[in-house]
Amino acid sequence: LLLILCPILFFLPLSLSFVVLSKDGGGWNNIRMGMETIVGLAVAMGRTLVLPPAQGMYLLQDRKQQQRHNDQGKDNNNNNNNHTKQASSTKTKTQNTHFSFADFFPLHEMAKEHQNTNNGGGGGAVNIITMQEFLETEMNNFFDTQTGLPSYPPDNRRTDWNGHPKQRELRDWLRNVTYTKHMWKPGDCLAAFPRSSGNHNDIIYLQKTLDDIKKDGLDNKAYIGHPAPVDGPLRDRLHENIRDRKQLCIYNEEMQQQSVIHFMCS
């Protein structure tokens, strides 16, 4: 869940700051929820969203199981001729097993729509690019977080990782050149975003609001059947959504100053 202290202001120009997602290793619903969450995070942070490259997705790529099913059907049908078998085998081999989020979500259309309707700064509410575009444009701007030395994508500075069999190499490299210290855990804290960047008083206000709610008790049964308006007072929205969480995951000054933030879902 995301708590945004409205109105949203963009922290950095979208062309200069990015949020990178690594796909969840679970099933489709986990993958879908991760994608929906990261879009919200990108909007709240005012950052360009970098999509992971096309890759295999759990339960959407079981070619061996499909092949066994096809083979069993052939064995049980003595009327199949060699031409039919060859055509079926060819169909199985050409089945798509690598997917990007753009195959399931109209992400680029969403970005264009918001760019055309949004009157605020930053060029639109959400800006989305592919991993290949990100690596190509930022090739000379990556530095190892431990040594401070320039670092380049693995596999001889590869930028097109779509369908690559060793995408873990890319994920491991990204973790070494991007900001990953936040480690937000949704079961422990509620993501919260201050009104603007560089103003510590906004962060203090978020924390003080939570402290006041704790003093009065975290029971939020009053909101059952009577949800707080999405644009309602901060205290109401926070009280409704904090539930059993003890703290806020605040998009603080340290995170705001990072050019690339990496959310590691796998």
Side-chain angles (χ1 to χ4, degrees):
L1 291 173
L2 312 178
L3 180 71
I4 304 172
L5 179 55
C6 295
I8 299 173
L9 300 182
F10 295 97
F11 294 96
L12 290 171
L14 286 170
S15 60
L16 300 179
S17 62
F18 306 88
V19 57
V20 179
L21 169 68
S22 288
K23 179 185 69 66
D24 190 282
W28 167 245
N29 276 332
N30 283 9
I31 296 171
R32 174 185 58 80
M33 288 188 290
M35 183 66 237
E36 293 169 353
T37 299
I38 202 67
V39 169
L41 289 171
V43 171
M45 296 179 180
R47 290 176 176 267
T48 294
L49 172 59
V50 181
L51 297 177
Q55 56 196 285
M57 294 188 180
Y58 180 57
L59 298 181
L60 297 181
Q61 59 170 342
D62 195 350
R63 296 176 60 187
K64 292 183 179 180
Q65 182 178 1
Q66 182 64 42
Q67 182 65 61
R68 288 195 299 269
H69 175 77
N70 291 343
D71 290 343
Q72 183 179 5
K74 295 173 192 175
D75 293 340
N76 292 337
N77 188 350
N78 295 326
N79 294 325
N80 282 342
N81 55 38
N82 291 335
H83 176 74
T84 302
K85 291 181 180 179
Q86 182 177 3
S88 178
S89 175
T90 302
K91 183 177 180 181
T92 300
K93 290 181 180 179
T94 57
Q95 181 181 1
N96 183 25
T97 60
H98 297 99
F99 304 94
S100 73
F101 285 114
D103 292 322
F104 304 98
F105 297 89
L107 297 172
H108 295 290
E109 289 78 4
M110 286 168 49
K112 291 180 180 179
E113 179 181 353
H114 282 288
Q115 287 174 354
N116 292 334
T117 59
N118 183 70
N119 295 322
V126 58
N127 190 29
I128 301 171
I129 62 174
T130 65
M131 179 63 70
Q132 183 172 355
E133 291 172 325
F134 172 62
L135 295 177
E136 289 175 351
T137 58
E138 299 297 312
M139 178 66 72
N140 297 317
N141 295 326
F142 297 113
F143 298 90
D144 189 291
T145 57
Q146 300 298 320
T147 66
L149 297 176
S151 182
Y152 299 95
D155 196 11
N156 195 26
R157 304 190 182 191
R158 172 182 289 273
T159 58
D160 183 4
W161 288 83
N162 292 305
H164 195 279
K166 297 183 178 180
Q167 293 200 16
R168 181 165 294 279
E169 294 181 6
L170 174 64
R171 293 198 295 269
D172 291 343
W173 174 76
L174 284 170
R175 294 175 183 183
N176 288 329
V177 298
T178 59
Y179 184 82
T180 60
K181 294 180 181 179
H182 45 287
M183 296 302 291
W184 289 356
K185 297 181 179 180
D188 298 334
C189 63
L190 178 68
F193 301 85
R195 178 178 286 116
S196 60
S197 63
N199 188 345
H200 190 67
N201 289 332
D202 288 340
I203 294 177
I204 294 176
Y205 177 55
L206 281 170
Q207 189 59 55
K208 183 179 184 303
T209 303
L210 176 59
D211 293 339
D212 291 342
I213 292 174
K214 286 181 177 180
K215 292 178 183 178
D216 296 336
L218 295 177
D219 187 1
N220 63 354
K221 291 185 176 63
Y223 296 98
I224 298 177
H226 305 280
V230 295
D231 58 351
L234 170 65
R235 181 187 174 95
D236 291 346
R237 291 180 288 129
L238 178 53
H239 192 185
E240 178 184 21
N241 290 291
I242 192 65
R243 298 181 66 84
D244 297 328
R245 302 175 183 89
K246 305 300 183 184
Q247 58 186 341
L248 298 176
C249 288
I250 297 179
Y251 185 55
N252 58 25
E253 290 99 331
E254 180 179 348
M255 293 184 68
Q256 294 168 22
Q257 294 170 1
Q258 307 303 317
S259 60
V260 184
I261 295 178
H262 185 197
F263 280 86
M264 306 180 295
C265 295
S266 60

